[in-house]
Amino acid sequence: MKNIRNFCIIAHIDHGKSTLADRLLEFTKTVGAKDMQNQVLDDMDLERERGITIKSHAIQMDYTLDGKDYTLNLIDTPGHVDFSYEVSRSIAACEGALLVVDATQGVQAQTISNLYMAIDNGLEIIPVINKIDMDSAHPDEVEDEIVELLGCDPEEIIRVSARTGEGVPKVLEAIVTRIPAPQGDPQAPLQALIFDSVFNPFRGIIVYFKIENGSIHKGDLVKFVNTGKQYNADEIGVLKLHMDSRNELTTGTVGYIISGIKTSAEVRVGDTITHVSAPCEKAIEGFQEVKPMVFAGVYPIDPEDFENLRTSLEKLQLNDASLTFTPESSVALGFGFRCGFLGLLHMEIVQERLSREFNMEVITTVPNVSYKVYDKKGDMTEVHNPAGLPDPTLIEHIEEPYIRASIITQSEYMGPIITLCLGKRGELVKQDYISGNRMELTFDIPLGEIVIDFYDKLKSISKGYASFDYYIHDFRDSKLIKMDILLNGQPVDALSSLIHVDNAVSLGRRMCEKLKELIPRQQYDIAIQAAIGAKIIARETVKQVRKDVTAKCYGGDVSRKRKLLEKQKAGKKRMKQIGTVQVPQKAFLAVLKLD
């Protein structure tokens, strides 16, 4: 056990975690030359195309230092704020972390956020400055920032170039000498923490775990403490580039178990595995349940695919524990699910994965956040969907979630960023200079305001130099109203939204204009209206497509033409009574990009 080291790599998005992981695998000869490629641990096509890590990946490496053989368990983690839950789970399975900082960009928001998460879990931190071979690198300034952040000695910081491999041997040496070996009792009853799971169509659910105490043998009868279900350990092993089966795994090891589990509800991330014959006294204190930030309705394009969509979401949830979903129905779209996501990128990725991995084409409604609605009796209900809002006469007040946002940027972009945040009903809490001309701005902003386009706008006004991180701070009283979109007098519940009273008229007008461009013309006029209760606040009309019924009249009396036009008018009126308006999928998505 004393020769095992469990560590993860944490950093802000795009600071070179996956490239550093590639070099570590190369130097320890874990991956042969023929298997070597960029982002070797990112096995999803989506991750390679976008150049981001979506899923944490575990792999075991063998390393020799001073004649001793060591086993290194590496977990490569995502860097985007939307996937911070993956990071928290990886940290729970480690004793140390490599904190990677880009030499060209310095310390950014997610760097600080991930660092605090690691320190709270008592991990040993090894700071690493990456990309020192770049022309725009300024490692000395970045070193000062890290020293100020961590309070460490400058000698403890390792400078590397993950692209060329410079400095990587020093990192491997530091992992062995500075990260402690796992603590645990090999003689105690088995106690293993589940930190991830994946679905395999042939073998069922594969569970990844870290053994805190005791050991497990192939064929043992084990049980999952929280669900109480019992299984035979058909196959156990460690995670090399491919799964490598073993007969026994001991304390401190990170491994996998296959026991023919078919239903996704039986595996919970954070659960404890123990023996049936000699169970452990209590479950391991796992990590917190994930709290979704953004809610949206997901509906199959073909209503008959409802059950297929349920199965696809269940399989996806195994691979992504932060996804939550409950069934709901909509008048416009039929049966579907109200899904909870950690952010907009997470929502986009889930939609893309449903399409690629499960061949499910879906319609996603306008995303919104959860609100606390208090009625006149003082009872509180959580509302995730505008359709679930009680009658306005029964509501005492509504509270909306506020986030504490940390934005790190260069001082020349401070003005536009403050203007953007104040325009989103934000309040400036404080501003601090980090070093040189870099500063941290802290805001309290309603979560509903940043859900749709805030991140894109922030990146464009700061030319990509601002980094953004947030956590839920509190709930505050707000003047919120439900705005409906009516098509020919019929409300489309999928386009309803809960918004602040000050933004209602401008948003209603913009939504009507956008829908006018996207809804195809029919044989009759289509009235698009935005309404608050019975009050119409905006209207646009999609003009009808008309056939020229007077084309056959050559001259003659005008009354003949009028008679034909009146006949056409009566027909159009009758058609309007029975006609339904088809809303294309583009219309639901366009509402997200109104600007």
Side-chain angles (χ1 to χ4, degrees):
M1 190 169 81
K2 64 179 186 294
N3 289 358
I4 296 175
R5 300 287 183 272
N6 299 320
F7 70 99
C8 58
I9 304 180
I10 55 176
H12 190 80
I13 191 166
D14 239 6
H15 280 202
K17 295 175 298 302
S18 298
T19 315
L20 180 60
D22 289 352
R23 290 297 83 74
L24 293 173
L25 297 176
E26 204 171 45
F27 273 80
T28 54
K29 299 186 171 51
T30 307
V31 179
K34 69 177 177 34
D35 291 323
M36 197 62 215
Q37 55 180 337
N38 286 342
Q39 288 174 265
V40 72
L41 291 179
D42 293 349
D43 46 15
M44 258 186 264
D45 291 341
L46 203 54
E47 291 178 312
R48 294 181 184 288
E49 283 168 26
R50 293 186 175 226
I52 58 174
T53 303
I54 293 167
K55 185 104 190 74
S56 295
H57 300 277
I59 191 165
Q60 190 179 92
M61 305 180 285
D62 296 319
Y63 175 64
T64 307
L65 181 69
D66 301 334
K68 284 186 186 172
D69 291 335
Y70 291 92
T71 300
L72 312 181
N73 290 309
L74 153 71
I75 304 179
D76 180 25
T77 65
H80 195 280
V81 62
D82 278 13
F83 304 112
S84 52
Y85 184 59
E86 290 281 332
V87 182
S88 73
R89 302 204 329 241
S90 309
I91 284 173
C94 295
E95 281 82 39
L98 297 182
L99 180 75
V100 179
V101 181
D102 190 329
T104 62
Q105 295 183 329
V107 170
Q108 293 196 287
Q110 202 57 26
T111 315
I112 297 172
S113 170
N114 287 340
L115 170 68
Y116 288 157
M117 212 188 288
I119 290 172
D120 288 347
N121 280 272
L123 267 62
E124 179 65 37
I125 309 291
I126 299 176
V128 175
I129 297 178
N130 189 18
K131 305 190 186 179
I132 56 168
D133 60 316
M134 303 274 282
D135 295 336
S136 55
H138 39 86
D140 295 336
E141 287 173 35
V142 176
E143 191 172 275
D144 294 342
E145 287 180 23
I146 295 174
V147 168
E148 202 168 311
L149 184 67
L150 277 175
C152 61
D153 290 330
E155 295 79 51
E156 291 177 28
I157 301 169
I158 304 169
R159 297 187 182 192
V160 303
S161 164
R163 195 162 57 108
T164 62
E166 182 188 341
V168 173
K170 284 186 191 167
V171 175
L172 284 164
E173 206 174 302
I175 290 165
V176 170
T177 54
R178 284 155 63 176
I179 293 176
Q183 302 295 313
D185 181 0
Q187 306 307 318
L190 172 67
Q191 205 180 24
L193 173 73
I194 297 176
F195 68 90
D196 208 352
S197 60
V198 292
F199 179 79
N200 183 308
F202 305 106
R203 314 207 57 185
I205 294 160
I206 302 170
V207 176
Y208 297 161
F209 61 85
K210 179 204 175 188
I211 302 178
E212 300 282 351
N213 292 304
S215 60
I216 183 171
H217 293 76
K218 186 177 177 178
D220 282 355
L221 185 64
V222 296
K223 75 168 179 179
F224 291 5
V225 175
N226 285 348
T227 57
K229 294 275 171 72
Q230 300 183 5
Y231 308 99
N232 276 314
D234 299 337
E235 184 184 315
I236 57 170
V238 294
L239 299 153
K240 297 277 186 165
L241 190 56
H242 304 290
M243 291 187 294
D244 185 1
S245 64
R246 300 282 163 91
N247 287 325
E248 183 190 14
L249 295 177
T250 54
T251 308
T253 311
V254 173
Y256 71 90
I257 176 171
I258 299 175
S259 46
I261 306 170
K262 290 286 185 285
T263 51
S264 53
E266 293 175 27
V267 178
R268 288 209 192 118
V269 166
D271 202 349
T272 304
I273 304 176
T274 189
H275 282 127
V276 174
S277 54
C280 57
E281 288 177 13
K282 63 180 198 324
I284 299 167
E285 294 292 319
F287 15 76
Q288 305 86 10
E289 277 294 301
V290 61
K291 282 233 175 3
M293 300 284 185
V294 176
F295 295 87
V298 174
Y299 294 86
I301 286 179
D302 184 349
E304 290 176 5
D305 283 339
F306 175 71
E307 280 305 323
N308 292 350
L309 179 60
R310 184 199 294 273
T311 313
S312 305
L313 284 169
E314 281 175 357
K315 288 177 183 171
L316 196 55
Q317 195 177 33
L318 279 172
N319 216 333
D320 180 355
S322 53
L323 173 68
T324 61
F325 60 92
T326 50
E328 72 165 8
S329 63
S330 150
V331 180
L333 300 170
F335 291 101
F337 294 93
R338 168 102 341 208
C339 296
F341 306 98
L342 295 180
L344 271 200
L345 178 69
H346 186 211
M347 175 175 135
E348 206 180 305
I349 295 293
V350 166
Q351 208 173 334
E352 188 77 21
R353 287 182 71 182
L354 282 171
S355 166
R356 289 186 185 207
E357 294 172 30
F358 304 100
N359 235 351
M360 283 297 315
E361 293 302 328
V362 294
I363 290 176
T364 311
T365 65
V366 183
N368 59 282
V369 299
S370 60
Y371 298 94
K372 291 182 176 176
V373 179
Y374 291 84
D375 61 18
K376 297 273 169 72
K377 295 175 186 170
D379 296 333
M380 189 275 287
T381 47
E382 270 203 18
V383 174
H384 304 310
N385 185 351
L389 198 68
D391 190 272
T393 55
L394 304 174
I395 296 172
E396 179 64 36
H397 67 277
I398 302 176
E399 290 184 357
E400 66 174 332
Y402 267 69
I403 59 163
R404 177 63 56 91
S406 155
I407 298 169
I408 294 179
T409 183
Q410 294 182 347
S411 50
E412 66 240 46
Y413 305 116
M414 184 176 104
I417 288 172
I418 290 178
T419 308
L420 171 69
C421 293
L422 295 180
K424 296 282 186 188
R425 298 192 284 128
E427 298 165 15
L428 181 61
V429 179
K430 63 173 180 180
Q431 55 190 62
D432 299 316
Y433 278 89
I434 298 175
S435 65
N437 69 338
R438 284 163 59 74
M439 61 189 309
E440 181 179 12
L441 300 167
T442 308
F443 282 92
D444 282 350
I445 310 177
L447 179 60
E449 294 282 345
I450 69 150
V451 158
I452 291 176
D453 55 0
F454 179 81
Y455 196 66
D456 297 343
K457 283 184 177 171
L458 180 69
K459 282 292 180 194
S460 59
I461 62 176
S462 65
K463 300 189 171 60
Y465 277 107
S467 62
F468 175 65
D469 185 44
Y470 64 87
Y471 60 90
I472 291 287
H473 186 52
D474 57 4
F475 278 76
R476 300 185 192 177
D477 236 2
S478 260
K479 284 187 177 176
L480 296 168
I481 46 173
K482 180 185 172 192
M483 186 177 76
D484 290 310
I485 298 293
L486 313 177
L487 296 180
N488 277 344
Q490 297 298 318
V492 182
D493 54 357
L495 288 172
S496 299
S497 51
L498 274 175
I499 51 171
H500 195 265
V501 69
D502 297 346
N503 302 342
V505 176
S506 64
L507 183 73
R509 192 169 291 138
R510 277 157 45 209
M511 280 178 81
C512 289
E513 286 167 2
K514 195 76 187 173
L515 288 169
K516 183 183 177 182
E517 292 170 25
L518 294 167
I519 290 178
R521 290 169 71 188
Q522 305 280 350
Q523 296 278 334
Y524 48 86
D525 283 355
I526 302 170
I528 303 168
Q529 296 164 311
I532 295 167
K535 183 184 175 188
I536 304 295
I537 55 171
R539 173 183 167 131
E540 293 287 337
T541 308
V542 179
K543 284 296 182 192
Q544 58 187 314
V545 182
R546 291 184 55 179
K547 178 184 170 189
D548 186 3
V549 288
T550 60
K552 62 185 179 183
C553 298
Y554 295 102
D557 188 39
V558 72
S559 59
R560 282 184 66 207
K561 288 186 180 177
R562 194 168 291 132
K563 182 181 163 190
L564 289 167
L565 287 168
E566 288 297 329
K567 193 176 170 187
Q568 183 189 35
K569 199 169 166 187
K572 294 269 189 201
K573 196 172 178 185
R574 192 167 60 248
M575 195 186 290
K576 187 174 177 178
Q577 285 169 355
I578 57 168
T580 56
V581 182
Q582 296 292 324
V583 183
Q585 159 75 343
K586 278 188 301 188
F588 296 105
L589 298 178
V591 177
L592 310 186
K593 302 187 177 75
L594 281 174
D595 294 329

